[in-house]
Amino acid sequence: MSPRKFFHPDVADLTLHRVLFALSDPTRLTVVSELIKNGERASGDLLAESVPRSTMTHHLKILREAGVTRTRPEGMRCLIALRREDVDARFPGLLDAILAHGGAEASAP
């Protein structure tokens, strides 16, 4: 069985509208906040009790395809990491600004 492959856009291919869309949802913003606080996490550890697994999979795909996160398979699980350096290189200060203004929304999925 071959390892799963995930699409991750190059830094030069990150677009502002896709990153902003990915960060516009409270659940996705909560995931980003969690990754900032705790670093790389298994996708199962990011599940909120109120969010079905299929819905969380969808949110993680949007974050990954926008270039906000990187997904790395490890055995039977996937590890999710924030692409902080890549997003900051392309859009300096964007993550800090969004998280500063979205703090209340980011705490509740």
Side-chain angles (χ1 to χ4, degrees), residues 84-107:
R84 178 72 187 246
E85 290 179 8
D86 293 344
V87 174
D88 284 346
R90 188 84 166 106
F91 309 109
L94 179 67
L95 285 176
D96 290 331
I98 289 173
L99 292 170
H101 293 285
E105 296 87 26
S107 62

Side-chain angles (χ1 to χ4, degrees), residues 3-51:
R4 290 174 278 180
K5 304 247 182 194
F6 295 99
F7 169 76
H8 298 96
D10 292 329
V11 176
D13 294 330
L14 300 183
T15 62
L16 185 58
H17 73 276
R18 288 196 69 167
V19 171
L20 288 175
F21 174 77
L23 298 174
S24 68
D25 182 87
T27 299
R28 294 191 292 265
L29 199 54
T30 299
V31 168
V32 170
S33 295
E34 181 71 21
L35 293 173
I36 285 174
K37 288 182 215 168
N38 298 309
E40 184 177 62
R41 305 283 308 272
S43 59
D45 294 342
L46 294 169
L47 288 172
E49 290 179 16
S50 61
V51 179

Side-chain angles (χ1 to χ4, degrees), residues 74-89:
E74 183 178 272
M76 295 296 293
R77 63 186 188 157
C78 290
L79 299 176
I80 313 297
L82 184 64
R83 291 179 60 183
R84 178 72 187 246
E85 290 179 8
D86 293 344
V87 174
D88 284 346

